[in-house]
């Protein structure tokens, strides 16, 4: 309970606006323990780097304030590299490579993080497979032709429908020596994706800590090349100390090449606290260690308990489709307007119930098990019955 704030039941997913998901007791305990001590933040990030490297196969990694913060820091790293003068100037990019090549069909609201660091987006491709009149998207050669001396990086949004393939884009990036930064914020599960994008040739990859990993809401991961991750780290760390007192940990050895320490960097406005770092590391360990079949069984049982508490409603248990191993409970209504009416009634209850808003347009009320607890299953089932009683 948070005094003065009504609790909700989040049956939508790990959405930021709904507070993400309840954290496992082990994650909460790690955050509480971290809250009671003080540590040097670069030493904590070095420990994080070792854990992230083990989980992802990356050379190095840091905990950030979210995937969006990871993108911002990754972009800053691709522009300023290990030049403290350039770090001090961002988001002013005068004289720096500041162009991020992005396939037009991969534009999304989170790419603002690249611009927030000072980057400029260079769009390529005519995505008429998306707009309808054709079948094509950007071709790899179009990305290659957009590379100039002003190119800071190629940006790639990982997703089941993203084109061209990451492998094709990585080939170009590798041939031309341009970093490739992958937004994989929501591409977990499957667990293998922790390693996949780096293995396919990404130089940097960003994950949300507060989605499937089960870490704190304001946590994320930036992992990849040691020189770029090290640059990102010093653009977030508070380095307000005499330069000779700062000894870079071996995890961030390229910082030994800095000719001086930057001041508070562009990432200082999205700093990560020790509590988030400690919580994320325990969540990551749990995410890697959890048997996906056991997790699916737990989610399935939770949804079955919802259905059992709503007898008489035509609820069906399905595979989510986009997330392997994730079941959803769906209620197909006769029309989108009917689904919207019932959804409004669910939100009007106490506690308010939020279901998957993205599927209402198909007349579907979909219940995602990831962000509510077993103890809420009966309340949720009763809420569905009450909402149905108002008639369709
Ligand atoms: C959720 C999401 C983000 C933002 O993640 P945070 O951890 O909330 O900062 C960025 N990109 C994509 C594609 C996402 O789905």
């Amino acid at each position: 309970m948070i005094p003065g704030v009504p609790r909700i039941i989040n049956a939508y997913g790990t959405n930021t606006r709904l507070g993400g998901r309840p954290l496992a007791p082990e994650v909460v305990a790690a955050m509480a323990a971290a809250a009671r001590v003080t540590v040097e933040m670069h030493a904590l990030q070095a420990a994080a780097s070792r854990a992230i490297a083990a989980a992802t196969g990356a050379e190095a990694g840091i905990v950030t304030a979210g995937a969006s913060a990871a993108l911002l820091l990754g972009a800053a790293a691709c522009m300023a590299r290990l030049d403290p003068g350039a770090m001090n100037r961002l988001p002013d990019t005068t004289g720096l490579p500041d162009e991020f090549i992005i396939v037009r069909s991969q534009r999304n609201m989170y790419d603002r993080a690249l611009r927030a660091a000072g980057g400029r987006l260079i769009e390529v491709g005519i995505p008429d497979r998306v707009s309808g009149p054709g079948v094509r998207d950007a071709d790899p050669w179009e990305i290659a032709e957009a590379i100039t001396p002003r190119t800071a990086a190629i940006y790639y949004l990982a997703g089941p429908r993203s084109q061209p393939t990451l492998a094709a884009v990585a080939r170009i990036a590798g041939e031309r020596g341009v970093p490739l930064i992958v937004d994989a914020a929501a591409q977990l599960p499957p667990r293998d994706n922790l390693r996949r994008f780096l293995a396919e040739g990404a130089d940097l990859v960003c994950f949300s800590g507060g989605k499937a990993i089960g870490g704190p809401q304001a946590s994320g991961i930036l992992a990849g090349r040691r020189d770029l991750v090290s640059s990102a780290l010093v653009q977030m760390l508070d380095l307000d100390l005499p330069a000779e007192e700062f000894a870079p940990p071996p995890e961030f050895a390229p910082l030994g090449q800095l000719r001086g320490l930057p001041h508070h960097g562009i990432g200082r406005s999205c700093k990560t606290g020790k509590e988030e770092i400690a919580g994320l590391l325990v969540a990551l360990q749990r995410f890697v260690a959890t048997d996906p079949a056991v997790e699916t069984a737990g989610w399935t049982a939770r949804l079955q308990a919802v259905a059992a508490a709503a007898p008489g409603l035509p609820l069906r248990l399905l595979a989510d489709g986009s997330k392997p191993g994730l079941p959803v409970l769906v209620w197909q209504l006769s029309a989108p307007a009917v689904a919207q009416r019932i959804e409004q009634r669910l939100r009007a209850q106490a506690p308010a119930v939020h279901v998957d808003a993205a599927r209402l347009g198909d007349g579907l009320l979909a219940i995602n098990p990831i962000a509510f607890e077993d103890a809420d299953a009966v309340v949720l089932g009763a809420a569905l019955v009450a909402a149905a009683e108002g008639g369709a």
Side-chain angles (χ1 to χ4, degrees):
M1 281 297 157
I2 302 177
V5 186
R7 183 179 88 87
I8 63 166
I9 294 179
N10 177 6
Y12 188 171
T14 54
N15 307 60
T16 295
R17 79 179 164 84
L18 299 176
R21 58 190 284 194
L23 302 181
E26 295 90 334
V27 176
V28 175
M31 295 180 77
R36 303 190 64 165
V37 298
T38 49
V39 295
E40 285 201 281
M41 293 305 289
H42 64 268
L44 182 54
Q45 288 283 17
S49 183
R50 294 192 292 276
I52 293 168
T56 63
E59 289 177 359
I62 54 175
V63 179
T64 65
S68 180
L71 256 186
L72 184 153
L73 290 165
C78 292
M79 292 187 286
R81 304 296 183 102
L82 291 167
D83 177 349
M87 292 175 186
N88 282 347
R89 287 198 302 278
L90 289 182
D92 174 358
T93 60
T94 309
L96 296 178
D98 64 354
E99 292 184 358
F100 290 81
I101 298 171
I102 182 168
V103 169
R104 196 169 264 116
S105 63
Q106 294 179 19
R107 284 296 316 269
N108 68 91
M109 56 201 174
Y110 296 108
D111 64 35
R112 176 187 291 263
L114 305 170
R115 290 190 290 130
R120 291 188 299 136
L121 300 182
I122 304 297
E123 295 185 6
V124 301
I126 304 287
D128 50 11
R129 78 179 165 110
V130 178
S131 49
V135 296
R136 290 177 53 186
D137 203 318
D139 277 320
W141 63 264
E142 293 176 280
I143 297 173
E145 286 196 351
I147 295 174
T148 75
R150 290 183 306 280
T151 304
I154 301 170
Y155 163 93
Y156 190 90
L157 176 72
R161 287 175 300 131
S162 293
Q163 286 184 13
T165 63
L166 180 58
V169 178
R171 203 171 311 123
I172 293 164
E175 279 167 14
R176 303 290 295 272
V178 171
L180 173 57
I181 178 165
V182 173
D183 181 352
Q187 297 307 306
L188 301 169
R191 215 167 27 167
D192 298 348
N193 278 1
L194 280 173
R195 297 180 169 272
R196 184 177 132 208
F197 308 109
L198 292 169
E200 286 186 4
D203 295 284
L204 287 173
V205 62
C206 312
F207 294 106
S208 271
K211 293 180 181 166
I213 292 175
Q217 255 291 276
S219 70
I221 291 172
L222 178 68
R225 254 168 57 186
R226 196 182 302 281
D227 60 328
L228 294 173
V229 171
S230 299
S231 169
L233 175 68
V234 282
Q235 297 188 70
M236 171 170 67
L237 276 184
D238 178 341
L239 289 173
D240 194 12
L241 79 173
E244 59 277 9
E245 278 182 32
F246 180 66
E251 289 77 6
F252 308 115
L255 297 179
Q257 300 166 34
L258 290 177
R259 64 176 182 277
L261 290 185
H263 292 279
H264 296 296
I266 186 97
R268 182 62 177 77
S269 304
C270 48
K271 77 172 179 185
T272 319
K274 61 189 190 293
E275 298 84 1
E276 281 75 23
I277 298 173
L280 185 277
L281 293 182
V282 170
L284 181 62
Q285 212 171 37
R286 286 170 44 86
F287 179 73
V288 171
T290 302
D291 178 352
V294 171
E295 190 160 58
T296 297
W299 284 330
T300 303
R302 185 174 297 165
L303 293 178
Q304 282 166 339
V306 173
L313 294 186
L315 301 172
R316 282 182 306 137
L317 195 61
L318 303 174
D320 172 72
S322 65
K323 294 264 179 284
L326 181 71
V328 283
L329 190 66
V330 301
W331 179 6
Q332 178 70 61
L333 283 309
S334 57
V338 180
Q340 278 152 9
R341 209 147 51 229
I342 294 181
E343 190 266 343
Q344 276 165 17
R345 288 188 204 133
L346 285 169
R347 277 190 291 112
Q349 298 191 22
V353 172
H354 291 255
V355 298
D356 187 341
R359 307 208 189 181
L360 295 172
D362 301 324
L364 215 57
L365 279 184
I367 294 170
N368 176 326
I370 196 168
F372 66 92
E373 302 199 293
D374 290 342
D376 281 328
V378 169
V379 185
L380 180 41
L384 290 169
V385 172
E389 274 165 4

